[in-house]
Every structure is written in structure tokens, then in C-alpha cells.
Amino acid sequence: MKRMRNTLNFWSAALFALALLPASVRAQGIEAEPNDPCSSAQDFGDTGLPYDVSGLLDLNDVDFFRFQAVAGQGIRADLEGEEPLYDPMLGLFDSSCNLIKSSDYGGWLNARLYFTVPEDGAFVLAASVWGDWNFDGNHFNYGTYTMTIATAPLLSSISGRVVDAYTGDPLPGAELALRECYDTTCAFYNTVSWQWADTEGEFLFDSIGWDLPLVPGTYQVAAWASIYQPGYSDVFELLEGENLDIGDIALTGPPVRFSDIEPCTYVPAVGG
């Protein structure tokens, strides 16, 4: 609960001004067909933020919108549906229409994405419905919605690698837990995210559950792997907008045990 309160307090403060700003005085746009597929996205250009888009999703429909903003800027996009548009879904694409990420988190009638504007300043947002993972209209729902794009605090990330302490070889599939620390205590119950190392033993934490962004704070990464003893990173501080590489977490194998049992020096041919 303490972790959730801290997260909500951080983002509530960042978005407080937006919440107080009536939709009637924010810049607004209206969805216009055709805007599907991504290559035919409706181009709003540099609208200034915050910006609202009102739209309608038909059966098997996807709405694509192209925006221009400051490279490296933090963005929050919300898609608020109206019944019967249940479980809408947001997709983020780069200027070449490559899917970067997607999310349906935000509630039964909402979806939400946090991201950083790509280097060329261009991005495309797609509105669809849960299950349409490729954003090709593979869904059977419809309804009206409002999409809101606003600035947000810069996103942060934590990366590193899990290795064998003796050989230095990477440990693919190692289990990792990101823990937030309070008063230098990094307890198991303060775990905010889990993942597994990739084939190179590398990991990247760039969000917590339900695609909520990492907030500045004090963290530690714990790691486990089969036959190895648990390992831990140093406790470290994460700043807003920081992409922090914490380096290698080295895991040691099980302790070597010696026995004083002497092997047989002679074994009869017929047993004995």
C-alpha cells in the first residue's frame, strides 16, 4: 500500500494541472476517416499539449493518429471509451509504423500508455480494442471515445546483466525482482516488478505492474538462478528520466562440500 500511495502521489502531482483544465479549453481534434492502416494515419502534427481527440470505432476498425512533439519528452496517452466500447486498447508506433508498445491498462472503459517521444519527434497512436494485438482490426466491438495526449514526467529505466561469479558467463533465464527500498530496507514485500533475464543474461525494468512508469526512488535488484545462490545489486538511487545501467549481478554456485569417506581400492570381480 505504501508503494501504491507513493506512485499515485507522484503522478497525481504531475497531472494535477491537467485534471483542473476543462476539456472545453484544451486543444481538440475530431477523428476523420480514412485513417487506417498506420501509413494512412490522420496527421495532427505539432498540436501542443494537452490535446484531445474525439473518435468513433466501428466493428473491425482501427484509428491511427500521427503527432509531432519534442524528442525525448515524456508523454501520457489516455483512451477513455464510452459504452459499449469495453476494454479499448492503445498502440504506440514510430514514424515508420513499427509497433513499439501497446496497453489496455486503465480500467474497463479506458487504456493508458506512458512513453518517451522518439528521436525524430514523430509518433503514431492507434485506438483499437483488446485482443487486436496487431492493430489490424481483429475485434468485434464499437463505440465512441476520447483520446487525451499530455506531457508527463520523463520515464526512467534500470538495466543490467546476471552472470556466473566464477566464469563471468551470462545466466539466461535468471529470475529478477525489483524492490523499492525504505530507510535502507529493501524487503521482499516491497517488490514492484518481476522479470527473467534474456538469452544474454540481460534485463531491463522500464515500468512496474500494469505499465505504470518507474518513479524516482531508492531500489535494489535481486536475482536467482537454478543451482546458484541468490545475488543482489547494491542499493541505488533512480532519478527522473535516468536510464541507469547497474552493471553485472554475479551469482555464486552452491558451496563445495568435501567428504572424508574413502573410496574402495579393490572391488572383487564377482562382487563382495
Side-chain angles (χ1 to χ4, degrees):
M1 291 300 294
K2 186 175 182 181
R3 162 69 193 181
M4 184 58 68
R5 286 197 299 271
N6 286 354
T7 301
L8 292 177
N9 288 341
F10 180 84
W11 288 96
S12 295
L15 298 169
F16 182 68
L18 174 61
L20 292 180
L21 189 61
S24 59
V25 301
R26 298 202 299 260
Q28 299 183 55
I30 304 296
E31 180 250 335
E33 299 287 351
N35 55 20
D36 179 14
C38 179
S39 57
S40 300
Q42 185 174 348
D43 193 348
F44 284 110
D46 187 357
T47 62
L49 300 175
Y51 191 77
D52 289 345
V53 178
S54 298
L56 168 66
L57 276 176
D58 293 319
L59 296 177
N60 304 120
D61 183 26
V62 183
D63 292 336
F64 290 87
F65 307 100
R66 185 179 297 269
F67 297 91
Q68 192 76 26
V70 178
Q73 186 176 52
I75 299 289
R76 168 177 164 166
D78 286 278
L79 183 65
E80 183 176 352
E82 297 182 8
E83 294 185 21
L85 184 58
Y86 293 111
D87 216 356
M89 188 171 180
L90 271 171
L92 172 67
F93 295 76
D94 64 19
S95 58
S96 299
C97 288
N98 298 305
L99 179 62
I100 299 174
K101 64 190 300 187
S102 62
S103 175
D104 70 333
Y105 169 72
W108 189 238
L109 292 173
N110 306 308
R112 179 178 303 149
L113 270 177
Y114 293 95
F115 61 93
T116 301
V117 177
E119 292 183 358
D120 61 1
F123 62 92
V124 176
L125 290 171
S128 189
V129 178
W130 182 88
D132 186 16
W133 309 114
N134 296 318
F135 291 89
D136 55 8
N138 185 23
H139 69 83
F140 304 96
N141 209 340
Y142 63 93
T144 59
Y145 64 84
T146 299
M147 179 189 294
T148 299
I149 303 96
T151 58
L154 292 175
L155 302 184
S156 304
S157 67
I158 300 165
S159 61
R161 191 173 67 139
V162 185
V163 300
D164 184 295
Y166 178 72
T167 65
D169 293 335
L171 296 177
E175 188 175 1
L176 295 132
L178 177 63
R179 298 173 178 175
E180 191 165 17
C181 307
Y182 299 97
D183 299 325
T184 70
T185 300
C186 310
F188 173 81
Y189 51 78
N190 284 328
T191 298
V192 296
S193 187
W194 293 84
Q195 65 173 253
W196 287 264
D198 65 15
T199 56
E200 300 299 323
E202 297 177 346
F203 61 87
L204 173 67
F205 290 100
D206 57 5
S207 66
I208 60 174
W210 301 105
D211 199 41
L212 287 172
L214 283 172
V215 300
T218 306
Y219 294 92
Q220 183 184 56
V221 177
W224 300 266
S226 178
I227 81 168
Y228 288 87
Q229 300 182 67
Y232 305 88
S233 73
D234 293 333
V235 177
F236 55 87
E237 293 291 329
L238 181 68
L239 305 177
E240 180 184 330
E242 182 179 18
N243 297 311
L244 179 63
D245 185 347
I246 63 173
D248 291 346
I249 300 177
L251 304 187
T252 57
V256 177
R257 299 183 183 277
F258 296 94
S259 172
D260 58 1
I261 299 176
E262 297 182 3
C264 296
T265 57
Y266 171 72
V267 178
V270 294

